[in-house]
Amino acid sequence: MKLAKLGAGPEIFHTIQGEGPGAGAPAVFIRASRCNLHCVWCDTDYTWNFQGTPWPHEKDAIPGYAKFPKADVTIELDPAEAARLVLAFGCPRVVITGGEPLLQEDGFLDMIGRIRGQMPDCYFEVETNATRIPSPAFAEAVDQFNVSPKLANAGMAEALRLVPDALRFFAASPNSWFKFVVSTPADLAEVQTLRARFHIPYERILLMPQGRSAAELDRTAPWLAELCRDLGFRFCDRLHIRLWGERRGV
Ligand code: SF4
């Protein structure tokens, strides 16, 4: 599997889940490298914004920001070794994130099987941008999908970021929770359109402020929370950003 590299090893770390219905729960995170999207505000840009790619990023405006040499930010690991590293934390909740984990679902399915062989009650969350339908075996193995379709504020053409068959699949899956990143009040109209088009239940939609710092979150969170209250959506903060900012591995 191609995983994000952190220091000399893979980005596998013990922390608390900062987003979604599992927010606050201790969890081991394992981060896939590679993504089929390129959101302009992505905070894990080191999983896809490689040298030689044409994609823009908001950070291009920051002096000194540069695309990443692929070899410096990627590490290959087989599923058995990934399972061994995850199991070493002894934590019964694992979050497979990215990047886009469904690009490497065979490897992660192998890893999940190995972990469950040692820890049968382990709970697996998978974070996905909802542009791929998981295989039946993978869908069966995962306890919870944290589905994050991208709105226009991510800076890509709709045909790239919205895959109707995949969105219908997740909307019909009771263990899928939809998390939309909101930047402005105008984003709500898009969320409502997607909710109606794909019949996503209100109770499985979370709205999360866009922001890579507590200050950025604070600009959006108050009005977004009020909109959630008034419209019937769940509000979702970014606890890990508030606790640790953009620090990796915590
Ligand atoms: S889908 Fe997720 S990982 Fe991929 S570019 Fe967008 S925010 Fe980043």
Side-chain angles (χ1 to χ4, degrees):
M1 297 187 292
K2 291 180 172 55
L3 300 181
K5 189 176 179 185
L6 181 60
E11 190 169 339
I12 300 175
F13 57 100
H14 193 202
T15 185
I16 59 166
Q17 171 60 291
E19 300 175 3
V28 176
F29 272 62
I30 176 166
R31 188 177 306 284
S33 184
R34 309 294 189 266
C35 188
N36 56 333
L37 300 186
H38 41 271
C39 306
V40 291
W41 39 252
C42 178
D43 59 3
T44 55
D45 44 340
Y46 51 89
T47 63
W48 57 269
N49 198 15
F50 304 133
Q51 286 179 347
T53 60
W55 319 122
H57 193 282
E58 277 180 359
K59 290 181 183 171
D60 293 337
I62 299 174
Y65 178 75
K67 288 177 177 287
F68 299 87
K70 197 185 281 184
D72 288 0
V73 289
T74 305
I75 190 166
E76 291 266 357
L77 209 64
D78 66 49
E81 179 64 0
R84 188 187 71 75
L85 293 173
V86 169
L87 280 163
F89 291 105
C91 178
R93 179 181 290 256
V94 175
V95 179
I96 302 173
T97 189
E100 175 47 56
L102 290 183
L103 299 180
Q104 307 184 63
E105 84 173 10
D106 289 350
F108 282 120
L109 183 60
D110 187 338
M111 183 196 79
I112 289 171
R114 291 170 187 273
I115 293 171
R116 282 231 171 87
Q118 302 289 316
M119 194 187 286
D121 294 335
C122 191
Y123 189 91
F124 288 90
E125 297 183 30
V126 170
E127 307 200 318
T128 177
N129 59 28
T131 56
R132 300 247 170 162
I133 299 176
S135 70
F138 193 74
E140 174 73 22
V142 170
D143 296 288
Q144 176 183 314
F145 284 100
N146 303 324
V147 180
S148 187
K150 299 302 180 264
L151 303 178
N153 64 33
M156 290 164 292
E158 181 175 322
L160 190 61
R161 57 188 167 79
L162 298 181
V163 177
D165 286 349
L167 289 167
R168 280 188 204 97
F169 171 86
F170 287 113
S173 305
N175 63 343
S176 295
W177 296 79
F178 282 72
K179 182 179 66 184
F180 291 97
V181 177
V182 173
S183 297
T184 70
D187 294 338
L188 267 294
E190 261 183 282
V191 172
Q192 291 285 28
T193 299
L194 293 173
R195 181 196 61 73
R197 180 176 169 196
F198 297 106
H199 308 288
I200 309 168
Y202 271 101
E203 64 270 18
R204 285 198 278 121
I205 296 180
L206 300 92
L207 304 187
M208 185 175 81
Q210 192 273 320
R212 296 191 301 268
S213 68
E216 283 182 311
L217 295 175
D218 285 343
R219 279 199 284 276
T220 304
W223 60 257
L224 181 58
E226 290 181 10
L227 274 175
C228 287
R229 177 199 63 200
D230 295 345
L231 298 173
F233 296 115
R234 290 177 184 237
F235 175 79
C236 169
D237 208 352
R238 305 193 75 195
L239 190 52
H240 54 301
I241 294 290
R242 294 198 180 278
L243 293 172
W244 298 299
E246 282 202 273
R247 265 175 62 198
R248 293 177 58 190
V250 287

